[in-house]
Amino acid sequence: GDVAAAAQEKEASPSQQAIRKEAAAETLARIGHLPKHQQEAVRYRHLEGLSLAEIAQRMQRSEDAVAGLLRRGLESLRRSMGV
């Protein structure tokens, strides 16, 4: 959880922390290039930690539609990162 992540970050060297921050910034920039609805779904799920049901309610879409947006968005991110 957050406590473990904070402890791990505290143990990381300054260069490791800088690399992580740079990777996070790059990922955020890549998310910004996704189509609007994919971007919104990915942000809600992976940055805000919302459930599919919560995202579906906010986006006024079905859970299946949200799952599809997430799947396509994450596939696009993986491709753009060469993963």
Side-chain angles (χ1 to χ4, degrees):
D2 293 333
V3 173
Q8 191 175 30
E9 186 65 23
K10 199 173 191 179
E11 294 173 11
S13 71
S15 63
Q16 288 171 320
Q17 289 177 19
I19 289 168
R20 284 190 192 129
K21 286 180 183 175
E22 185 176 318
E26 182 179 334
T27 301
L28 285 174
R30 289 177 190 272
I31 290 170
H33 292 292
L34 293 174
K36 182 180 184 273
H37 292 111
Q38 290 177 19
Q39 187 180 133
E40 197 173 3
V42 169
R43 286 181 189 275
Y44 282 147
R45 182 75 176 145
H46 296 284
L47 300 179
E48 295 185 27
L50 299 181
S51 69
L52 283 180
E54 291 168 320
I55 298 167
Q57 185 176 6
R58 282 197 185 184
M59 295 183 73
Q60 298 180 343
R61 294 175 176 259
S62 70
E63 288 186 39
D64 286 342
V66 169
L69 289 168
L70 286 168
R71 184 178 58 254
R72 289 189 303 279
L74 293 175
E75 286 171 359
S76 292
L77 286 174
R78 286 185 191 105
R79 275 195 308 276
S80 74
M81 297 170 100
V83 178

